[in-house]
Amino acid sequence: MDNEDNIISKKTRGLSALSLTEMLERFSYYGMQAILLYYMYYSAKMGGLGLNPTMAASIFAIYGSISYLSAACGGYVSDRILGSQKTVIFGAILIIIGQLILSIPLKMLWTLFISLMFLTIGTGLLKPTISTMVGNLYDDNSKSKAYRFTVFLFGINFGALLAPIIIGFLGLHFSFHLGFFAGAIAMIIGLIIFKYNSNEYNRNNSMYTSNPIEPYEVRKIIVFLVLFAISLALTFLLMWVMDGFNLNNIITLLSIITVIIPFVYFFVITTSTNTTDKERKNMRTYILLFICAAFFWGIEEQSPIVIAMLVNSSTDNSFMVNKWLGIVIYLVIAGIIGYLVNKKIFNEIIRVIVYLLLIVGFLYTLLHHGAFELSINKSWYQSINPLFILLFTPLFAKIWRNKEMSATSSFPLGMLFASLSCLVILLPIVFFSAGQFSPLWIVLTIGIVCIGEMFISPIGLSVTYRFAPRKFVSQMMGVWYLSDSIGQAINSQIVKYFSVNNVNYFLTIGLIGVVLSVIMFVILKTVEIEK
């Protein structure tokens, strides 16, 4: 009995270690993301690189797109080349190097691209691999599968919640480079936690490859990589000859490649002799759902770009709040923090420290004389999304438990909510064009998008697993993440048309989304899913 308790205890510690590692990786990623756009287009006098805002937005979007594209390859490296633990460690080291390069105040564009290269590869290696390690932590027939992934996802969103608040404050109030350095420190701590607790999750051959590359496959991989490199080099050469070798065209090329890749893969699967007629029919349905998800992520992932630009110039970020209303707001926020901290991922010491800080904060608000002057840091708006996700998840989990909505209905509905959010943010831009508008419009807009996310994100992987042909299940799980990659690739092109006063930007996206969601809803309702 003692031995069994010891095994359970080790698994619990392993789960906490993996969750904390991923939480710190997401803290590093979303913290960097909260200040990266500002760093790129702020003037040199303000500590930035002084890029054109449109170009900065395109670079930001294509970076996010390629990060998700690389994540689809990270699982392959883990399964067939390095093994889970080495892949996570190597990925974390690359992320640390990338953040440290950004933290050096060189103010040179080439250092930005080198750092983003390290961050892209590192994120691609670490993110999918550590998720797999959580899945392998317990036996396949363990009843705690839902619990361990709930804890893991909580860690991701909690890290995403804190990052814009802490790193954003450091980056915008002191120095962008200090903010990036804080992201590097967070990843160093995460790497130490991961390595120190490695014995707690060293099972299922996590130190070794689960499906090592055979000698005869090495030649095929080398040939493929060489052909890809030659094709890319020839494309760049053609662009140079035609006087079109510039950053804007390179981003466009990468966007096209990113959009094409998953559909080429879908073609290979549906035409494969290993795919049955029933699976082929389900794949056609899945492609429609994939398009819905890509459109949704295209809108959702505009938040750190479009919303960041809006709050920089169009929202009133400083205002006075009545003392008693301030106390009520504080109690609500304290209640949310108390609820979030009261999770098994945190130990008792952390909980006690947080509770003491909340009590001190309450006493301060109670003893404060007069109204409160609130000033919202521009980066803090990026914390709204993970906060809503943390609040909505248990609510929607209870709703789905009683009556689960089919993917053919929920995906178009998620698209519809995302499209409506564009029409909502349109209202203050139209009616307050002469001045600044309340930040509550931003909160409402992001909240509507998050409701849409509840109809797509939680069931995306399960739908992928259900519709994937049996011979392609593992690969299809990675393809799902490419829906986000496509959304951001498209963003890298359409954000070029965004400006704070461009009413047609949100109107066009919103109306196209509403029409497309209705069309998808009608089409998917006529589809029969083979079981």
Side-chain angles (χ1 to χ4, degrees):
M1 186 69 177
D2 291 339
N3 184 50
E4 184 178 344
D5 291 340
N6 184 51
I7 292 174
I8 294 174
S9 177
K10 288 186 67 176
K11 289 179 179 179
T12 302
R13 290 197 301 271
L15 176 62
S16 297
L18 291 173
S19 299
L20 283 171
T21 302
E22 178 62 359
M23 183 182 80
L24 289 166
E25 186 274 328
R26 291 289 88 184
F27 178 88
S28 174
Y29 176 84
Y30 284 109
M32 179 275 296
Q33 189 183 67
I35 61 176
L36 179 62
L37 183 67
Y38 296 127
Y39 172 64
M40 286 193 288
Y41 83 78
Y42 271 20
S43 66
K45 180 184 284 189
M46 299 176 68
L49 295 175
L51 292 177
N52 179 282
T54 300
M55 179 56 67
S58 292
I59 294 173
F60 188 97
I62 201 63
Y63 159 67
S65 175
I66 296 176
S67 293
Y68 276 92
L69 184 63
S70 67
C73 303
Y76 183 87
V77 174
S78 173
D79 291 342
R80 312 212 63 189
I81 301 176
L82 295 178
S84 297
Q85 288 198 38
K86 290 180 182 177
T87 303
V88 170
I89 292 172
F90 188 48
I93 291 173
L94 292 178
I95 291 171
I96 292 167
I97 293 173
Q99 293 277 27
L100 288 176
I101 292 174
L102 281 174
S103 67
I104 301 173
L106 294 177
K107 299 290 191 301
M108 300 176 71
L109 193 59
W110 64 268
T111 60
L112 170 69
F113 293 131
I114 290 176
S115 64
L116 292 182
M117 180 185 69
F118 277 106
L119 290 167
T120 297
I121 299 173
T123 301
L125 292 173
L126 188 148
K127 184 174 173 58
T129 305
I130 203 167
S131 300
T132 302
M133 293 183 72
V134 173
N136 291 336
L137 192 61
Y138 297 80
D139 295 330
D140 291 336
N141 58 359
S142 173
K143 296 181 179 179
S144 60
K145 182 180 290 187
Y147 162 74
R148 65 177 182 262
F149 274 107
T150 299
V151 172
F152 183 70
L153 291 173
F154 171 82
I156 291 175
N157 285 295
F158 195 70
L161 171 67
L162 294 179
I165 297 173
I166 298 174
I167 293 181
F169 179 80
L170 294 174
L172 292 173
H173 283 269
F174 295 96
S175 165
F176 287 116
H177 304 290
L178 179 61
F180 296 133
F181 184 72
I185 295 299
M187 194 67 260
I188 290 172
I189 295 172
L191 178 58
I192 293 171
I193 291 173
F194 179 84
K195 187 62 180 173
Y196 179 77
N197 294 279
S198 60
N199 290 331
E200 310 300 341
Y201 40 76
N202 181 17
R203 68 185 305 274
N204 288 355
N205 300 319
S206 63
M207 293 186 67
Y208 309 100
T209 56
S210 59
N211 182 24
I213 294 177
E214 299 293 338
Y216 72 89
E217 295 178 289
V218 175
R219 185 173 179 275
K220 291 182 179 180
I221 294 173
I222 292 175
V223 169
F224 172 79
L225 292 176
V226 170
L227 289 175
F228 179 78
I230 293 174
S231 301
L232 199 59
L234 289 174
T235 303
F236 286 155
L237 178 61
L238 180 62
M239 292 168 63
W240 180 75
V241 170
M242 298 179 65
D243 198 26
F245 189 71
N246 54 60
L247 186 57
N248 186 57
N249 288 339
I250 291 173
I251 292 174
T252 301
L253 175 64
L254 293 174
S255 301
I256 294 171
I257 293 173
T258 302
V259 172
I260 289 175
I261 285 175
F263 291 100
V264 170
Y265 194 77
F266 290 145
F267 176 79
V268 171
I269 292 177
T270 53
T271 57
S272 172
T273 55
N274 293 320
T275 304
T276 66
D277 290 338
K278 181 182 74 173
E279 291 172 337
R280 197 170 287 113
K281 184 176 181 180
N282 285 344
M283 275 300 300
R284 286 195 286 267
T285 303
Y286 180 80
I287 292 172
L288 293 175
L289 296 175
F290 185 87
I291 293 172
C292 291
F295 187 91
F296 169 81
W297 292 119
I299 294 178
E300 199 271 351
E301 293 290 358
Q302 288 205 27
S303 178
I305 304 174
V306 173
I307 297 298
M309 289 182 172
L310 277 176
V311 301
N312 188 52
S313 59
S314 300
T315 58
D316 184 8
N317 297 317
S318 298
F319 47 90
M320 303 297 293
V321 176
N322 177 272
K323 174 181 178 178
W324 298 107
L325 178 59
I327 291 175
V328 172
I329 293 173
Y330 178 82
L331 289 175
V332 172
I333 295 174
I336 293 172
I337 294 174
Y339 166 76
L340 296 177
V341 172
N342 192 33
K343 298 285 184 180
K344 293 185 179 181
I345 187 176
F346 299 104
N347 60 37
E348 290 296 329
I349 297 176
I350 295 177
R351 292 178 192 171
V352 169
I353 293 174
V354 172
Y355 292 151
L356 287 175
L357 290 175
L358 291 177
I359 292 172
V360 171
F362 174 72
L363 292 175
Y364 171 78
T365 57
L366 194 63
L367 298 175
H368 182 80
H369 293 288
F372 293 96
E373 182 178 357
L374 298 182
S375 181
I376 304 175
N377 192 306
K378 291 185 284 289
S379 68
W380 292 359
Y381 289 93
Q382 303 305 320
S383 292
I384 299 173
N385 181 286
L387 177 61
F388 273 127
I389 297 301
L390 287 168
L391 295 175
F392 287 162
T393 298
L395 174 63
F396 276 84
K398 291 182 179 180
I399 295 174
W400 298 147
R401 188 180 301 143
N402 296 327
K403 186 178 181 180
E404 184 175 349
M405 182 180 290
S406 67
T408 54
S409 298
S410 65
F411 273 55
L413 197 55
M415 282 180 62
L416 180 61
F417 273 102
S419 304
L420 291 176
S421 72
C422 293
L423 300 179
V424 168
I425 196 61
L426 180 68
L427 297 176
I429 295 175
V430 171
F431 292 107
F432 299 96
S433 58
Q436 296 181 320
F437 55 81
S438 169
L440 292 178
W441 284 102
I442 302 293
V443 175
L444 177 61
T445 299
I446 297 176
I448 294 172
V449 173
C450 290
I451 293 175
E453 186 171 345
M454 291 292 100
F455 288 98
I456 291 180
S457 183
I459 58 176
L461 286 173
S462 63
V463 167
T464 303
Y465 182 83
R466 180 184 174 192
F467 284 8
R470 293 304 93 187
K471 298 288 185 179
F472 297 92
V473 173
S474 297
Q475 298 169 65
M476 280 290 294
M477 299 304 276
V479 170
W480 162 250
Y481 291 108
L482 295 185
S483 61
D484 198 314
S485 183
I486 287 180
Q488 297 199 60
I490 295 173
N491 271 351
S492 70
Q493 301 306 307
I494 64 175
V495 292
K496 298 175 183 178
Y497 302 99
F498 171 77
S499 66
V500 174
N501 297 318
N502 186 2
V503 176
N504 293 329
Y505 182 83
F506 291 109
L507 180 63
T508 302
I509 296 176
L511 292 179
I512 290 175
V514 170
V515 173
L516 188 59
S517 62
V518 172
I519 292 173
M520 283 294 186
F521 184 81
V522 173
I523 294 175
L524 288 169
K525 274 299 180 183
T526 63
V527 171
E528 293 183 9
I529 300 173
E530 298 284 345
K531 297 183 179 180

